[in-house]
Structures are given as structure tokens and as C-alpha cells.
């Protein structure tokens, strides 16, 4: 497995899943906190922020309204989660 594949599996995909399950705009810190609650080796807030920037470039997420800190998942991102990730798994902690 390459470093890019590891990054996708370990950071990008979990971030996308949390946003999908949250259903609301959240910050990188909120995503990181939720991942820390469910993963043994959770990505840091800095890694989550980098993943969000990458996901934004690829139109899987977008910033909310006029903020630079809050992100929501796009239809493309939701479709990816629905089609590509396992049906059972972790996500947003209520």
C-alpha cells in the first residue's frame, strides 16, 4: 500500500464519513474530536484540516456559508460515502 493509499484510508475517508454522518457544518476540531473518540490511532486536528482542504479541492466537501472554518459534505461526497465505504463503521458521536 502506498503512502497516498494509507492517507486516504486512515485520514481522508474517516473525515468524510464523520461529515456525512454529522449532517451539519462542523469544524476540523469537531471532526478530530469525534475521530479520537472512535479510533485508536486517530488523525490529529492538523491532519484533519489537511484532509478537509484536499476534500474541498475535489468537491467532496465545501466550506459553509462565508466561513473558512466550517465544512459540510457535498452531494458528491455523500455519494462516495454511500457507495464506497463499508455500511457499518464509526462516525459522528452524538
Amino acid at each position: 500500500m502506498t503512502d497516498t493509499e494509507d492517507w486516504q484510508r486512515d485520514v481522508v475517508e474517516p473525515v468524510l464519513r464523520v461529515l456525512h454522518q454529522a449532517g451539519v457544518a462542523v469544524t476540523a476540531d469537531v471532526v478530530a474530536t469525534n475521530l479520537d473518540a472512535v479510533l485508536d490511532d486517530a488523525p490529529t486536528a492538523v491532519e484533519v484540516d489537511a484532509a478537509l482542504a484536499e476534500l474541498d479541492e475535489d468537491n467532496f466537501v465545501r466550506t459553509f456559508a462565508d466561513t473558512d472554518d466550517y465544512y459540510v459534505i457535498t452531494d458528491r461526497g455523500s455519494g462516495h460515502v454511500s457507495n464506497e465505504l463499508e455500511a457499518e463503521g464509526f462516525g459522528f458521536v452524538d
Side-chain angles (χ1 to χ4, degrees):
M1 189 169 281
T2 67
D3 288 342
T4 300
E5 290 170 329
D6 286 344
W7 169 254
Q8 288 287 329
R9 183 196 70 231
D10 296 341
V11 180
V12 175
E13 298 292 348
V15 167
L16 197 55
R17 177 167 286 241
V18 168
L19 283 172
H20 177 73
Q21 292 184 343
V24 296
V26 295
T27 65
D29 287 337
V30 169
V31 174
T33 298
N34 277 274
L35 291 176
D36 191 47
V38 295
L39 295 177
D40 291 332
D41 191 22
T44 65
V46 171
E47 291 172 316
V48 169
D49 196 47
L52 286 167
E54 182 178 311
L55 289 164
D56 190 19
E57 284 181 21
D58 293 337
N59 195 33
F60 285 100
V61 303
R62 65 174 175 80
T63 55
F64 182 72
D66 293 332
T67 71
D68 288 333
D69 297 335
Y70 286 82
Y71 289 86
V72 294
I73 196 164
T74 63
D75 289 342
R76 181 176 186 207
S78 288
H80 175 78
V81 171
S82 297
N83 293 327
E84 299 297 326
L85 298 179
E86 296 174 2
E88 296 297 319
F90 58 86
F92 193 75
V93 177
D94 292 326

